[in-house]
Amino acid sequence: MSGIHTSISTLAATAQPASTEIPAPLIPLLSSLTSLIYTIEHLFNKVPGSPIIVRYIKSSYQDDPWRSVLELFLLAFAIRTVLKGRTRGEGEGKSFIKLTEKEIDELVDDFNPLPLADDPTPADSFTLDTVPTIYGPNGIKVKTSANGKTLLNLATPNWCGFIENDKMKQVAIETLGQYGVGTCGPSGFYGTIDVHQKAEADIASFIGTEASIIYSQAFALVSSAIPAFAKRGDIIVADRGVNFGIHKGLQISRSNIKWYAHGDMKDLERVLQSVERDRKRKGGKLTKKFIVAEGIFENDGMLLDLPKVIELKKKYKYRLILDECQSFGMMGAHGRGITEHFGVPANEVDMILGSLANGLATGGGFCAGSQVVCQHQRINSSASVFSASLPAMLATCGSAAIDILKAQPNLMTSLQSNIALFRQQLSKLEGDSKDALISIPSDPNSGLIHIFLLNPPDSLEEEELILQEIVDECQQTSNLLITRARRLRSQEVFEPEPSLKICISGYMARKDVEAAGRGLKAAIVKVCGNIVNKVDADCWFASWVDY
Amino acid sequence: MPRSTRRSGSSGTSTPPSSLSSPPSKPLFPTISLRSSSPSSSSNKELSSSYQGSTPTLTARSSLLNVLTRPHHSAPTTSISMENSTNNSSSDEDTNYSDQSTISSYASSIISGTHMIDKTNLTSEDIAKVYENYLEKPFVNTKSTIKHSEFGHCNNPNWRWTSQWNPDEPIHPAEEPRPPYFTLLTTYISYILLIVIGHMRDFFGKRFRPAEYAHLMPQNGYAALNSDFDSFYTRRLKQRLEDCFARPVTGVAGRTIVCYDRASTDENKTFNLTGTTTRALNVSSYNYLGFASSTGGCADAVEACIKKYGVSGAGPRHDASTLDLHVQTENLVARFLGQESAMVVSMGYATNSTTIPALVGKGCLVISDEFNHASIRFGVRLSGASLRSFKHNDVDDLERILRDVISQGQPRTHRPWKKILLIVEGLYSMEGSLVNLPVLIELKKRYKFYLYVDEAHSVGAMGPNGRGVCDYFGVDPREVDILMGTFTKSFGAAGGYIAGSKQIMDRLRLRSHATAYAESVSPPVLTQIIASMGSIMGVAPPLAAPADIIDDRSDTMSIASRPTAYGPAPTYILPPWMKLPLNLLNGTEGRERLRRLAFNSRYLSSGLRKLGFIVYGHRDSPIIPLLIYNPGKMPWFSQLMLDRLGPDRTPVVVVVVAYPATPLITSRVRFCLSASHTKNDIDLILRACDEVGGLLGMKYGKQTMSVEEVISNAEELVAASF
């Protein structure tokens, strides 16, 4: 009954071992203390269940005093955690400086933030001013001013001429009459329309996977689907040449990212081996491992050696995330992408990301894969859960375009022959000959062609200027609309070299393609020749820098 | 528009309605109760006939009614005649208009729609019969080209309201309504049970039925794709509610929606379509102004656009995929919002996630409301800026944090922050609460942060002119640095916009991920935006168009001209090929829609409160969250609203939301109202909630009115401030 009391008096006894004599002034203090302790004990005993607690404390103390200390410590820690603010940096922290209200007021008065947007530099204005505006419909033939001349459009991805396809317009109008334009809701809340489900089924059966899921924008798809699977602690092995959207996805995933040299399968294997060695050395539990690459690389048009990657992925037990935003609708006998091009079954790739905007000229993107992969994204991929679903007409047009691709393999053959014809025109400027001015790393079968200068000037800005001059020259003399590859300088992870970006369409007439090739060649020769001979551009550039 | 006129009280009652642009005034609530008299007085019939020019036979009582109720809305005469002339080819169609008088009971409201039923004894079969075609056939006879199932016809001019801030009404309730402790306790117990049983099932399932857990366990050297910890909630709670989510639908998500019926035989893992469909009243889609429509002026414009432009926006904006239509839309959006410049992006989510990284970076601080949307959080994470969040809508907490971060500077180095960006939403999609914009503007002056307002839900839905929260609070839009919003919700389109000063927009055009790498907005979507936004603004009568249409990028409105700057758009802002019908072009239709939405929102929100439900949010908000708490009631509520037990049997689809979209215990059902709903629809929702909520014991508050009282007092409830 008086367990606590005795133990406390024992403690007191041990605290004052030598003298039993108590100094006179302390006596009233001690007696009042004793009576206080007695009252507390009395009250405590009234609490139901108190004997159990007392017995517990007593036995644990006798068995192991350290245990009691540890338990007390844990309790204190728990109380501290509960009382502490939830947000990080909440006033605590080592570097927190306590300030008076007056000081804070002064600091607030002195606070002088940078402007939200800094003044545009000449380079910024240059970038904005060189963005063409198309008047009237987009397509093969466009105008860049209200009454301007008609240009051949080599800047917009339109592999099979779906932009001006009348069948698709028809389908879109029919869909409008039934579904309106917007879906007015995310797919989780009455935004899943039957046409979405049909388009998903169509894409899956077209590519040859178990299922697919549609997103309302391809860029958001890429940057959101990757972090839906890859989490902190997982391993991602990625090609150094991947596009911006993938970079953003990798950044959000917070996974452990290893890069391999762009397009270098030996380096890929080396990286995979080193990861394996690392894991063996450190042990630890099995984590998810992904290889991320593009079918046709957006930044230079190169083709992924898919069979080799599949072989390596199987050997080292990785999952492959393949971005086919460029290659879907462009590669393969029916436009199924690089899986069809290489004859690899699509279900060997774990996730195929594709764009309906590039390949099928509608809008949105898709991820094709197994049922588990797609279902997981419906709940866990932020861009799918938190955004309105794709407008119905873009989904039905996607289905319609797939039907056209299935039925008309000649679309692909004419695309390939146009690509070959165009590349043939430029071939004299490539290679090792002394006339060589450009290099084209893009795959010979790729409709997306990036042209790099072989002897670039010292700075990126200068190079962009020269490329823009080629763009302008093409527009003026040969009625061609081409574009520099637009980059987000200073936001890219690995700054891509400046290049010209050409999109060939199978819908273009052969003579147009031939003329385009000739025109571009002439423009390159003219502009680059000028630089070599007269150093004109340097002067121009110098004047521009002064400005 | 001056706020004072709106509250001019009964002095304005006798003045005849003048013009559409005049500010509405309302009487002080309620002076005389008119609701005790006999049912089915058809004063509105008389009202309508008086509009048509025939000799009005106004009794003394109905004229009193007329006088008392009219000032709620600006101009019944004009607006009605506009609507009639455009919606109905002949106005005698309206003689049988029975949008019912405000004095109605359940029976009488139905009876006046039909004539053959004995008015005194109504069986539930009779009611069911009246409601048989309720969702597709209007009670009003009309020859409108817009389908009643997509946009309800509602001619009664009394059922209108103006969405505008009343400074007497607090923006946030002083104290959040709290449920009884018993409810809290049972909710916690439910979750504890769910977690404990779920873990037990996992434990035994993995051992005895490994095949079903294969995707959670490593196999052949591959780690599991789903960590079972991450997916625990999905498998154990969400799967039980799965039938409430992602119901496949078809057609337009307008006033009604057609759902495919489905059934599951394997505990909601998969669903099989039964082959039948159900048309239900739709209070789930973000269709605030009812522009989701397959017919009507906007749809015709979109059709013309598809013929001209095709479907695709093709490549990124900077790669030669900027159409004249994009520039035109951006000019229109900037003018609509009263900002200098604007930019459109092809996806609402991506508007935030690709823009925020272009505004802030390392060394900058983002202060974000704790309930901000996922896309904002995604964008902030991409940007690399530091993040602090403050308690939802708590300006005191915000000020404390501001003083803290400005005085402390960056962590460890104590350097001052480069920029501080405050990101808030105008209207919170799960709470229905409004941002306290006037106070934020004051704080902004003191603490020099930049303000980014995400108006995804509020643009179009709030404010007397539909321009969002700035309009609602009467704040100059240029006091806000960046206005962001989406076109999905109010405009029936897709994508989003960013608007601000020209300098900031140019910066964003250069640095936003979307302009360089994401597909551009597709032309039909742009057309829908132009048509719907233009019809809210109204387009001024044709004037001489300026020489170069496209280069109207810096459309500057002088500060002196505001806030009346929310005027009609100049004609040249529409593409020359776009032909809009008169009612869209002159803005009457848009104004009607804004005012119908405002009435519907305030009515349902007030009504549910009176019925004893716990409802969050502001009464002017078209998003109305009704608290459920107990997770077990969620699927029941959703199911019972669909398979109605009440006599009218009209199914209603609702959205139920739970953790992680809301805090753990406050599971809720969220109603999203629309201008396409008629008052009868709201009555129906109130009855359905009364019936189902009563059955499930969801009236956690104190019920002060019966449902029939609420319905008959609709206008007073809307006008009242409580």
Side-chain angles (χ1 to χ4, degrees):
Chain A
M1 182 182 154
S2 56
I4 295 177
H5 194 142
T6 31
S7 63
I8 285 171
S9 47
T10 341
L11 274 174
T14 42
Q16 288 184 329
S19 69
T20 46
E21 207 175 297
I22 298 161
L26 276 181
I27 290 172
L29 192 79
L30 276 179
S31 70
S32 64
L33 199 73
T34 322
S35 71
L36 182 74
I37 290 172
Y38 187 77
T39 332
I40 292 174
E41 187 193 331
H42 191 70
L43 280 174
F44 180 76
N45 284 334
K46 276 188 177 171
V47 176
S50 58
I52 301 171
I53 299 172
V54 170
R55 219 179 311 132
Y56 174 78
I57 293 175
K58 237 163 101 181
S59 67
S60 76
Y61 178 75
Q62 279 164 358
D63 291 349
D64 186 358
W66 290 113
R67 185 174 140 196
S68 306
V69 172
L70 187 73
E71 277 171 359
L72 264 178
F73 176 75
L74 280 177
L75 184 74
F77 186 75
I79 291 171
R80 182 172 165 270
T81 315
V82 167
L83 293 182
K84 216 174 120 185
R86 272 187 300 164
T87 334
R88 246 186 312 155
E90 194 90 10
E92 297 273 315
K94 273 181 207 153
S95 61
F96 186 83
I97 301 169
K98 202 132 183 74
L99 297 162
T100 64
E101 287 298 303
K102 193 165 159 267
E103 284 167 328
I104 293 177
D105 279 332
E106 280 169 8
L107 283 165
V108 168
D109 290 336
D110 290 346
F111 180 56
N112 187 18
L114 294 178
L116 191 53
D118 22 347
D119 291 326
T121 61
D124 292 342
S125 316
F126 170 72
T127 310
L128 277 183
D129 292 344
T130 51
V131 175
T133 303
I134 292 174
Y135 283 67
N138 208 339
I140 300 295
K141 299 282 172 72
V142 294
K143 289 179 175 177
T144 53
S145 60
N147 302 310
K149 54 186 179 182
T150 307
L151 307 173
L152 184 72
N153 186 356
L154 292 166
T156 308
N158 185 17
W159 318 127
C160 299
F162 282 135
I163 293 182
E164 43 272 268
N165 192 302
D166 287 329
K167 175 83 182 69
M168 284 172 63
K169 288 185 189 175
Q170 192 56 42
V171 169
I173 290 172
E174 278 163 19
T175 313
L176 173 71
Q178 232 183 321
Y179 296 91
V181 180
T183 58
C184 290
S187 51
F189 299 149
Y190 305 97
T192 310
I193 311 182
D194 47 358
V195 296
H196 292 137
Q197 294 182 320
K198 178 171 184 299
E200 282 169 359
D202 285 348
I203 291 167
S205 78
F206 179 63
I207 297 182
T209 57
E210 212 174 283
S212 81
I213 169 174
I214 292 187
Y215 283 66
S216 43
Q217 192 195 50
F219 181 83
L221 148 79
V222 176
S223 57
S224 167
I226 296 172
F229 293 95
K231 306 279 182 197
R232 199 188 286 276
D234 294 340
I235 291 165
I236 299 180
V237 178
D239 190 294
R240 276 178 76 97
V242 291
N243 64 36
F244 194 80
I246 295 181
H247 279 304
K248 293 295 132 188
L250 298 182
Q251 186 190 334
I252 287 285
S253 76
R254 295 173 175 166
S255 303
N256 189 359
I257 294 158
K258 314 270 183 202
W259 301 102
Y260 72 89
H262 180 36
D264 186 346
M265 289 301 120
K266 286 214 182 75
D267 196 45
L268 172 60
E269 184 151 23
R270 182 190 64 78
V271 173
L272 297 183
Q273 277 168 351
S274 83
V275 170
E276 190 61 25
R277 265 202 309 277
D278 248 27
R279 200 178 72 80
K280 279 201 181 121
R281 202 178 57 223
K282 285 184 190 156
K285 88 178 215 289
L286 190 62
T287 54
K288 284 170 272 182
K289 294 178 289 185
F290 300 90
I291 297 175
V292 180
E294 283 183 89
I296 293 282
F297 285 86
E298 187 178 337
N299 285 347
D300 58 11
M302 270 166 73
L303 179 67
L304 182 77
D305 186 358
L306 186 64
K308 182 75 186 163
V309 174
I310 298 272
E311 183 200 316
L312 290 175
K313 137 195 153 63
K314 283 186 181 159
K315 185 170 166 196
Y316 293 96
K317 304 213 181 289
Y318 277 70
R319 291 185 170 93
L320 176 59
I321 301 179
L322 181 65
D323 181 342
E324 291 220 62
C325 284
Q326 304 298 325
S327 50
F328 176 71
M330 179 223 277
M331 300 293 287
H334 294 85
R336 294 187 169 101
I338 68 161
T339 48
E340 191 184 20
H341 179 80
F342 284 113
V344 174
N347 52 21
E348 304 234 310
V349 183
D350 298 270
M351 292 162 70
I352 296 178
L353 311 177
S355 163
L356 299 174
N358 283 340
L360 306 180
T362 67
F366 66 84
C367 172
S370 67
Q371 196 73 46
V372 174
V373 162
C374 294
Q375 281 302 329
H376 180 81
Q377 290 176 67
R378 285 180 211 284
I379 305 157
N380 291 298
S381 175
S382 151
S384 163
V385 175
F386 295 107
S387 109
S389 48
L390 187 72
M393 64 171 68
L394 298 182
T396 51
C397 285
S399 293
I402 285 176
D403 288 342
I404 298 171
L405 281 177
K406 273 190 210 158
Q408 302 180 21
N410 59 327
L411 287 174
M412 284 297 141
T413 43
S414 67
L415 172 64
Q416 286 305 326
S417 74
N418 278 354
I419 295 168
L421 192 62
F422 186 79
R423 291 293 291 267
Q424 195 190 333
Q425 299 295 319
L426 292 177
S427 60
K428 288 205 185 91
L429 296 180
E430 284 182 84
D432 298 329
S433 67
K434 69 175 175 20
D435 299 339
L437 290 168
I438 54 171
S439 80
I440 305 180
S442 309
D443 189 77
N445 291 313
S446 160
L448 175 74
I449 299 165
H450 277 266
I451 299 176
F452 294 83
L453 294 182
L454 209 53
N455 304 307
D458 300 333
S459 72
L460 290 181
E461 289 85 357
E462 258 176 285
E463 197 173 348
E464 295 280 12
L465 271 178
I466 294 168
L467 293 176
Q468 184 59 40
E469 215 180 324
I470 297 175
V471 170
D472 293 342
E473 176 66 27
C474 281
Q475 185 163 344
Q476 276 151 23
T477 29
S478 341
N479 295 343
L480 297 178
L481 179 64
I482 58 171
T483 179
R484 291 182 285 132
R486 303 282 174 163
R487 306 287 177 205
L488 295 174
R489 296 283 170 217
S490 80
Q491 294 187 71
E492 308 269 358
V493 178
F494 308 111
E495 290 283 355
E497 297 281 309
S499 60
L500 290 173
K501 184 175 160 189
I502 310 284
C503 298
I504 302 291
S505 169
Y507 194 61
M508 292 171 180
R510 284 186 69 82
K511 68 170 177 30
D512 283 347
V513 176
E514 217 172 339
R518 270 202 310 275
L520 179 60
K521 187 177 151 194
I524 293 172
V525 169
K526 185 176 170 196
V527 173
C528 295
N530 273 351
I531 299 162
V532 177
N533 297 335
K534 295 174 194 162
V535 205
D536 223 11
D538 281 331
C539 302
W540 181 40
F541 177 70
S543 67
W544 179 71
V545 165
D546 291 342
Y547 160 82
Chain B
M1 113 180 16
R3 206 174 292 128
S4 56
T5 34
R6 184 172 176 265
R7 296 184 295 117
S8 62
S10 45
S11 67
T13 49
S14 55
T15 45
S18 49
S19 80
L20 271 176
S21 54
S22 78
S25 54
K26 62 177 180 185
L28 294 171
F29 168 76
T31 43
I32 307 165
S33 171
L34 298 165
R35 309 302 153 187
S36 51
S37 57
S38 69
S40 75
S41 145
S42 52
S43 61
N44 293 307
K45 217 177 256 185
E46 286 148 7
L47 265 178
S48 74
S49 60
S50 75
Y51 298 143
Q52 289 150 22
S54 62
T55 339
T57 53
L58 294 175
T59 62
R61 221 192 65 77
S62 63
S63 70
L64 175 68
L65 223 176
N66 206 343
V67 164
L68 278 167
T69 47
R70 190 178 293 174
H72 290 228
H73 40 82
S74 58
T77 327
T78 351
S79 62
I80 265 294
S81 60
M82 281 297 179
E83 199 179 24
N84 288 349
S85 65
T86 48
N87 281 352
N88 311 329
S89 48
S90 69
S91 49
D92 9 339
E93 290 293 337
D94 269 330
T95 43
N96 186 25
Y97 122 8
S98 56
D99 252 357
Q100 273 79 58
S101 80
T102 49
I103 307 160
S104 65
S105 71
Y106 198 7
S108 67
S109 72
I110 297 159
I111 278 189
S112 38
T114 56
H115 303 287
M116 61 264 192
I117 300 168
D118 177 18
K119 297 192 184 193
T120 44
N121 334 304
L122 264 173
T123 62
S124 55
E125 285 91 53
D126 294 333
I127 297 174
K129 200 178 246 172
V130 174
Y131 272 90
E132 203 177 341
N133 241 338
Y134 172 72
L135 293 173
E136 280 162 272
K137 222 176 100 244
F139 283 170
V140 194
N141 282 349
T142 173
K143 279 188 179 171
S144 165
T145 53
I146 296 181
K147 294 176 197 156
H148 183 64
S149 59
E150 289 175 6
F151 190 85
H153 300 291
C154 175
N155 296 359
N156 190 326
N158 293 340
W159 299 331
R160 305 286 188 268
W161 186 252
T162 302
S163 159
Q164 192 171 20
W165 184 39
N166 178 355
D168 296 343
E169 264 181 63
I171 300 176
H172 307 300
E175 211 178 318
E176 209 158 68
R178 298 189 68 82
Y181 283 109
F182 177 73
T183 313
L184 280 182
L185 199 69
T186 47
T187 308
Y188 277 121
I189 290 173
S190 307
Y191 279 108
I192 291 170
L193 271 179
L194 193 86
I195 291 167
V196 169
I197 293 177
H199 279 298
M200 275 162 57
R201 286 182 64 182
D202 277 4
F203 181 83
F204 290 110
K206 277 184 189 167
R207 277 153 190 84
F208 297 114
R209 287 185 301 172
E212 284 177 36
Y213 291 81
H215 63 289
L216 297 175
M217 294 192 277
Q219 44 185 330
N220 323 324
Y222 286 94
L225 200 53
N226 281 343
S227 107
D228 62 348
F229 180 75
D230 283 352
S231 67
F232 179 80
Y233 172 81
T234 319
R235 288 181 293 118
R236 293 298 169 211
L237 176 62
K238 187 170 176 289
Q239 195 169 314
R240 288 162 189 239
L241 312 174
E242 197 64 26
D243 188 38
C244 311
F245 302 113
R247 281 193 188 126
V249 299
T250 183
V252 174
R255 172 179 162 257
T256 67
I257 195 164
V258 178
C259 297
Y260 286 99
D261 301 330
R262 58 180 184 180
S264 177
T265 51
D266 53 357
E267 292 175 346
N268 291 347
K269 273 185 196 132
T270 54
F271 287 95
N272 301 315
L273 297 184
T274 57
T276 54
T277 57
T278 304
R279 186 179 282 280
L281 190 64
N282 180 11
V283 275
S284 306
S285 296
Y286 308 128
N287 177 28
Y288 299 131
L289 294 180
F291 279 111
S293 181
S294 61
T295 50
C298 292
D300 295 342
V302 173
E303 185 176 337
C305 165
I306 295 172
K307 283 181 182 150
K308 185 172 160 64
Y309 282 91
V311 186
S312 178
R317 284 289 295 278
H318 275 188
D319 286 1
S321 282
T322 301
L323 301 180
D324 50 354
L325 219 48
H326 288 113
V327 181
Q328 217 138 18
T329 311
E330 288 175 349
N331 289 340
L332 181 74
V333 170
R335 187 175 268 264
F336 180 85
L337 297 167
Q339 287 283 12
E340 205 175 28
S341 183
M343 182 176 107
V344 292
V345 179
S346 53
M347 181 186 186
Y349 179 94
T351 314
N352 275 329
S353 69
T354 62
T355 303
I356 295 171
L359 288 169
V360 287
K362 214 164 169 290
C364 302
L365 176 73
V366 172
I367 302 180
S368 150
D369 191 290
E370 63 177 340
F371 287 164
N372 272 351
H373 192 249
S375 57
I376 296 175
R377 280 178 261 156
F378 194 93
V380 174
R381 261 174 74 185
L382 278 182
S383 75
S386 303
L387 175 71
R388 287 289 289 270
S389 56
F390 65 99
K391 284 204 194 95
H392 176 55
N393 264 341
D394 185 340
V395 283
D396 296 329
D397 192 40
L398 171 65
E399 183 162 12
R400 188 183 61 76
I401 286 179
L402 278 168
R403 293 177 69 83
D404 190 36
V405 295
I406 294 176
S407 61
Q408 295 294 322
Q410 296 186 33
R412 296 193 47 238
T413 60
H414 290 290
R415 279 193 182 171
W417 294 100
K418 287 183 188 158
K419 307 169 199 172
I420 297 180
L421 182 66
L422 175 67
I423 307 185
V424 290
E425 287 186 45
L427 176 61
Y428 289 84
S429 63
M430 290 295 162
E431 311 294 314
S433 54
L434 280 168
V435 66
N436 195 339
L437 194 61
V439 174
L440 290 190
I441 299 282
E442 264 168 50
L443 284 179
K444 176 172 152 56
K445 285 177 186 144
R446 172 86 179 92
Y447 294 101
K448 291 166 268 189
F449 55 83
Y450 299 105
L451 184 56
Y452 182 116
V453 181
D454 177 339
E455 291 216 85
H457 288 269
S458 52
V459 69
M462 301 298 298
N465 304 294
R467 308 305 212 265
V469 282
C470 292
D471 188 20
Y472 180 81
F473 287 113
V475 167
D476 182 348
R478 297 195 187 189
E479 302 250 5
V480 179
D481 297 284
I482 292 186
L483 286 173
M484 175 271 168
T486 62
F487 301 118
T488 323
K489 277 100 184 179
S490 296
F491 306 102
Y497 67 78
I498 292 273
S501 73
K502 184 164 186 317
Q503 193 182 6
I504 295 175
M505 286 305 115
D506 279 350
R507 181 90 192 138
L508 287 181
R509 285 195 182 94
L510 281 165
R511 293 180 55 93
S512 161
H513 307 165
T515 48
Y517 291 113
E519 69 217 48
S520 56
V521 192
S522 97
V525 173
L526 291 171
T527 312
Q528 171 78 16
I529 295 166
I530 296 179
S532 55
M533 217 173 227
S535 69
I536 299 171
M537 296 169 84
V539 180
L543 301 165
D548 195 350
I549 297 166
I550 289 303
D551 278 342
D552 187 35
R553 286 193 184 180
S554 58
D555 158 52
T556 44
M557 291 187 300
S558 72
I559 289 180
S561 69
R562 278 174 271 140
T564 48
Y566 292 130
T571 319
Y572 65 80
I573 222 155
L574 297 186
W577 50 266
M578 189 186 278
K579 300 281 180 284
L580 289 179
L582 186 66
N583 63 331
L584 291 182
L585 211 54
N586 61 15
T588 47
E589 175 74 31
R591 185 154 289 258
E592 276 296 294
R593 288 180 183 222
L594 289 171
R595 293 158 52 70
R596 276 178 65 174
L597 173 66
F599 177 86
N600 290 345
S601 311
R602 220 169 146 88
Y603 173 35
L604 183 61
S605 184
S606 315
L608 289 174
R609 279 163 219 248
K610 291 287 175 199
L611 289 181
F613 290 105
I614 293 188
V615 176
Y616 277 176
H618 196 278
R619 284 202 301 145
D620 280 335
S621 145
I623 297 170
I624 299 166
L626 189 159
L627 275 289
I628 299 183
Y629 296 106
N630 294 115
K633 290 178 184 170
M634 285 193 286
W636 275 107
F637 190 85
S638 177
Q639 201 56 48
L640 286 174
M641 290 296 269
L642 198 61
D643 307 330
R644 289 281 307 287
L645 301 172
D648 58 69
R649 295 266 168 186
T650 309
V652 180
V653 292
V654 296
V655 162
V656 289
V657 221
Y659 179 81
T662 68
L664 187 66
I665 64 154
T666 53
S667 320
R668 59 196 73 176
V669 52
R670 187 183 61 171
F671 300 112
C672 290
L673 290 183
S674 163
S676 65
H677 294 127
T678 65
K679 177 173 175 287
N680 284 324
D681 296 341
I682 311 288
D683 296 349
L684 196 141
I685 295 164
L686 282 167
R687 287 195 183 105
C689 285
D690 187 57
E691 160 197 316
V692 178
L695 197 66
L696 295 179
M698 279 166 46
K699 295 183 178 176
Y700 301 115
K702 195 165 148 264
Q703 178 163 7
T704 48
M705 283 168 111
S706 77
V707 66
E708 294 307 325
E709 274 174 331
V710 167
I711 289 169
S712 56
N713 285 298
E715 288 160 48
E716 276 79 0
L717 280 176
V718 167
S721 54
F722 59 83

